[in-house]
Amino acid sequence: TALIYVLLLIFILFLFIKLIHIMFFEKGKWDKKINEIAIDLKEDAPDRGNIYDINGKILATSVSYFDIRMDTRAGGLSDETFNKHIDSLSLCLAKFFGNKTIGQYKTYITKARNDSVRYLRIADKLTFDEYVQVKEFPLFNLNSNEGGFISERSTVRKRPFGRLLRRTIGFLGEDKETGIIQGKAGLEYSYNRELGGRSGKVYMQKIGGGNWRSIKGGEVIQTEHGLDLITTIDIDLQDYVDHILREQLSELKADYG
């Protein structure tokens, strides 16, 4: 009986030491494994529709910008593939951005891979045309699991004609209760449902730094993108009237009118 107690005590002590070892010496290893398998159902925001005048000129549109990141330890990115393409990728990045030399880019990315960085900053706020070009670079032109390419899109609502008809066209703002960006005035508000569309649901994988990426085939509820709104506004006529009124205000030295 005493032998059993001794063996049981040794076993408990072993488990305790193993637990301490995992908590303090293997934390990074297990965090990495959790990140590789962490999957959650996330909201997929729809594209907002454009607003046009009667002649098809854009009065309000959503302009997309892209942040580019790299998962240097993507599941399908083997050492063979990485070593084969890192020189040509560094060359393309150096020529395109011009902020680092070829050698600096190679060192920057290789070091990140050695350090198992899952979310390496490559570029911020690229236009769509720039995004398309970067997506064709070596490694990045493979699927995300093989090449580690990550893109995050953000949109900015813009009115090409500035303050002209600002109150009529309206603007967007955040709803205090839901946090959703929606129309707060003018046509943006009156046709918010039609312009805004409906969010979908998609499974995403955690990749590091608290960030997530879409999983191929992970769509659960299809995203319904917003519709375009064609108005009876003639922006050229409005611009002419606005110009005449401003001339008269200036000529009469009026405060408003």
Side-chain angles (χ1 to χ4, degrees), residues 83-194:
N83 293 330
K84 179 181 178 181
H85 295 291
I86 183 59
D87 288 324
S88 52
L89 173 61
S90 300
L91 172 63
C92 289
L93 291 171
K95 289 180 64 177
F96 189 81
F97 294 112
N99 58 339
K100 292 184 178 71
T101 65
I102 300 172
Q104 287 173 332
Y105 264 115
K106 182 176 180 179
T107 300
Y108 176 63
I109 297 173
T110 302
K111 182 179 184 304
R113 181 170 171 81
N114 292 336
D115 293 340
S116 299
V117 176
R118 306 299 304 271
Y119 193 72
L120 179 67
R121 178 181 177 272
I122 301 297
D124 294 322
K125 301 297 181 184
L126 299 187
T127 65
F128 178 74
D129 289 341
E130 291 171 333
Y131 159 79
V132 171
Q133 293 180 66
V134 172
K135 183 68 177 72
E136 293 302 313
F137 289 175
L139 274 186
F140 291 170
N141 58 2
L142 305 175
N143 68 57
S144 60
N145 188 52
E146 293 179 346
F149 182 80
I150 301 170
S151 64
E152 294 183 346
R153 189 183 70 163
S154 59
T155 58
V156 177
R157 197 67 168 172
K158 291 193 173 183
R159 295 186 305 277
F161 294 93
R163 296 185 63 83
L164 187 62
L165 288 178
R166 180 179 182 274
R167 292 179 64 84
T168 301
I169 297 169
F171 54 89
L172 306 181
E174 182 177 323
D175 184 275
K176 293 181 179 180
E177 294 183 0
T178 64
I180 297 174
I181 302 298
Q182 59 185 21
K184 303 296 286 185
L187 295 172
E188 295 277 23
Y189 172 77
S190 299
Y191 293 91
N192 183 70
R193 171 63 185 88
E194 291 79 5

